[in-house]
Amino acid sequence: MLDAVGQCGDLAEVARRTGSRHGAVERQLDRLDKTVGLPLTLRSRHTARLTSAGSRLLVAGRRFFRQVDLAVQTNIFGRGSEAVDAPAVLAIASAEPLLEDVVEDAAASLDILLSVHHDTPQQVMHRLAGYHVDAAHTWSLDAPGNSAERAVRTYGVLDDPLWVTLPSGHPLAGRDAVSLADLRDEHWVSEVGPDSEILVARVFQAAGLPAPAALHVTGASVARGMLRRGDAIGLGSPTHPAVLAPSVVHRPVVERPHRSTSLLVDPTVVPRALAEQLAALLADRYLQRFAEHHQDLLRDPWWTRWHRDQTARFTRPVRPAQESTAPTATPAIRKFDVEDLHVLRAVARHGSINRAATVLSISQSALTRRIHRLELGLGARLLLRSARGTDLTTPTRRFLHQLGRFEAEFHDAAASCRSIALPAGQSHRQDNAPRAQLAPSAT
């Protein structure tokens, strides 16, 4: 519900997306405010928008459910024969700013440590080709696998629109969007891509324009310095702009140029399940960064559609964008829903299908069928059944252990929202609200 409000803001559209009636949406939002103890939305007759607390709680909720999905697919699904030989430490070269929580999430959710080497796109590909790293995270205007001189498998991370970075005092800085044609006579700075393509020159060429006469080609760090000082203008991305400073502004480009960011891995070293989830982690962090810094853009239909399409790519198993070897079919992975978490916890707690069925107020046969359908959907065994009773498999037990940690993080994030949003005299009373109310999906 909060996700729909954050994406569109129109109550009729929220009702359509959630399969509810307009009045039911408002009643549910009222109940949610009362449960959490904070106003999470500001509403008029036809519209709604998230408060600061609502936005923070939505980010925490997305993170919680993303962690659950990752834990399911790596501990339960991804721990098959393909993942047995996954490296304990994955050496990865990156031409993009890897956020620190990606490294931390990889350690917590994927049980793998990332050793990150930052470099230019060209040097990143050289590191991969020279077997100095096992994976590369980079951008490209073409298929990035073409630059690799070894067998690699490529996983798409993000279809990335490019913006122009202007000095804050530039004559065009006040526009909502600028055209490349209006900027051709400016002094530009550009990076070089993995295939030695000059980013700005290629973008102008694709728009049917000659490359700028004043074009300085350099590395990423020098380019950022020139942009920050106002010595040149350049192209960047709203998901992870090269420079965030009061001296510059970022504006959409009328021609809407794009680039792609990808994860390239050696398939003999990095299992498919691990690579898919690492690509999903990267995409998730970049999309979160975009939503945090450019909330206003999500009211624009084009950007709303772009954000929705990019997010939807990772609501199902990620398939490689390109493979240097013949692709193999990957079965669809069923996602856990809220009731699945209830069921597994009940069986784990009571150690018996019969006792768990009594607690859940359903019949033993119905619970057995539900678990059987879940196992078929996941393609994995969750329970071990014998004459002595029912027990969880080791991967399932590991998943539930991680679930407890994810739930605790979600509770802490919600408590943090309340302590910031409420007056000092009220925060203690609210923080002692029943923890089950904060994340009912996980209890």
Side-chain angles (χ1 to χ4, degrees):
M1 183 70 72
L2 288 180
D3 198 22
V5 170
Q7 288 193 42
C8 64
D10 179 80
L11 285 173
E13 177 63 14
V14 171
R16 188 190 68 80
R17 293 188 183 192
T18 57
S20 306
R21 294 184 181 273
H22 189 289
V25 168
E26 294 207 71
R27 288 192 296 272
Q28 187 169 345
L29 290 174
D30 285 336
R31 286 195 297 270
L32 187 57
D33 289 350
K34 184 177 180 180
T35 298
V36 178
L38 278 180
L40 302 181
T41 59
L42 296 175
R43 278 170 274 152
S44 66
R45 185 171 181 177
H46 300 292
T47 63
R49 63 184 178 88
L50 297 177
T51 63
S52 175
S55 295
R56 290 167 64 93
L57 197 62
L58 175 57
V59 170
R62 283 173 173 165
R63 179 180 174 87
F64 170 78
F65 284 109
R66 170 62 66 184
Q67 287 175 315
V68 170
D69 292 341
L70 287 171
V72 169
Q73 295 186 40
T74 55
N75 285 322
I76 295 177
F77 175 79
R79 292 293 181 180
S81 58
E82 188 190 35
V84 170
D85 298 323
V89 179
L90 177 62
I92 179 172
S94 178
E96 296 293 315
L98 272 175
L99 306 180
E100 285 304 315
D101 54 355
V102 172
V103 179
E104 294 176 5
D105 282 348
S109 302
L110 307 182
D111 195 25
I112 190 168
L113 303 178
L114 297 182
S115 174
V116 183
H117 307 269
H118 291 281
D119 220 322
T120 66
Q122 285 178 306
Q123 289 302 315
V124 163
M125 298 308 296
H126 286 323
R127 282 182 176 272
L128 184 63
Y131 291 84
H132 300 297
V133 294
D134 306 311
H137 171 226
T138 188
W139 63 266
S140 178
L141 298 172
D142 293 316
N146 297 341
S147 306
E149 299 174 10
R150 64 190 276 195
V152 296
R153 186 180 291 161
T154 305
Y155 297 82
V157 173
L158 206 63
D159 175 25
D160 211 9
L162 292 170
W163 283 14
V164 64
T165 301
L166 301 168
S168 56
H170 193 278
L172 301 181
R175 293 190 181 181
D176 293 332
V178 297
S179 171
L180 293 174
D182 295 334
L183 298 170
R184 195 172 66 83
D185 296 329
E186 299 285 342
H187 184 194
W188 284 82
V189 64
S190 179
E191 294 182 60
V192 179
D195 288 317
S196 300
E197 70 267 40
I198 299 172
L199 175 64
V200 169
R202 283 287 305 278
V203 166
F204 268 79
Q205 180 185 8
L209 298 169
L215 178 57
H216 186 79
V217 181
T218 183
S221 58
V222 175
R224 286 195 294 270
M226 293 179 65
L227 293 172
R228 189 181 295 274
R229 293 197 314 182
D231 295 338
I233 66 175
L235 292 173
S237 163
T239 58
H240 42 281
V243 178
L244 281 174
S247 59
V248 300
V249 295
H250 305 279
R251 294 290 179 263
V253 179
V254 172
E255 292 81 0
R256 299 201 186 279
H258 283 243
R259 68 178 182 179
S260 61
T261 54
S262 305
L263 178 69
L264 294 83
V265 305
D266 182 338
T268 65
V269 176
V270 184
R272 182 191 300 269
L274 175 59
E276 287 174 347
Q277 298 316 311
L278 185 54
L281 267 181
L282 291 165
D284 184 61
R285 293 299 162 260
Y286 287 138
L287 290 170
Q288 282 189 19
R289 182 183 177 114
F290 172 82
E292 290 168 4
H293 288 286
H294 304 291
Q295 187 69 232
D296 56 320
L297 285 179
L298 292 178
R299 292 191 288 270
D300 179 276
W302 191 93
W303 285 104
T304 299
R305 185 169 58 253
W306 172 85
H307 189 268
R308 183 176 64 245
D309 292 345
Q310 294 299 304
T311 303
R313 293 175 58 230
F314 296 98
T315 61
R316 58 185 183 276
V318 184
R319 295 181 184 275
Q322 175 192 4
E323 295 188 7
S324 57
T325 57
T328 57
T330 302
I333 305 171
R334 183 195 187 285
K335 280 195 171 186
F336 267 50
D337 62 25
V338 173
E339 291 305 316
D340 294 332
L341 301 181
H342 283 302
V343 165
L344 279 185
R345 276 195 164 166
V347 174
R349 185 177 297 116
H350 300 285
S352 161
I353 293 285
N354 190 30
R355 289 192 293 270
T358 301
V359 171
L360 296 170
S361 299
I362 60 177
S363 69
Q364 180 178 347
S365 59
L367 179 56
T368 300
R369 287 195 300 272
R370 180 185 179 92
I371 293 175
H372 181 63
R373 287 195 299 270
L374 180 59
E375 289 181 323
L376 287 177
L378 289 170
R381 175 169 291 185
L382 303 175
L383 304 179
L384 298 174
R385 304 168 182 84
S386 68
R388 292 178 293 178
T390 304
D391 196 9
L392 276 66
T393 64
T394 299
T396 308
R397 195 173 297 281
R398 186 186 300 117
F399 162 71
L400 287 179
H401 177 74
Q402 286 191 334
L403 177 63
R405 187 171 72 249
F406 301 153
E407 185 181 4
E409 290 178 4
F410 191 19
H411 285 308
D412 290 344
S416 174
C417 289
R418 289 204 303 274
S419 65
I420 292 173
L422 289 176
Q426 299 181 40
S427 62
H428 178 73
R429 176 178 60 83
Q430 292 292 338
D431 284 350
N432 285 317
R435 290 173 66 90
Q437 294 182 353
L438 294 176
S441 59
T443 57

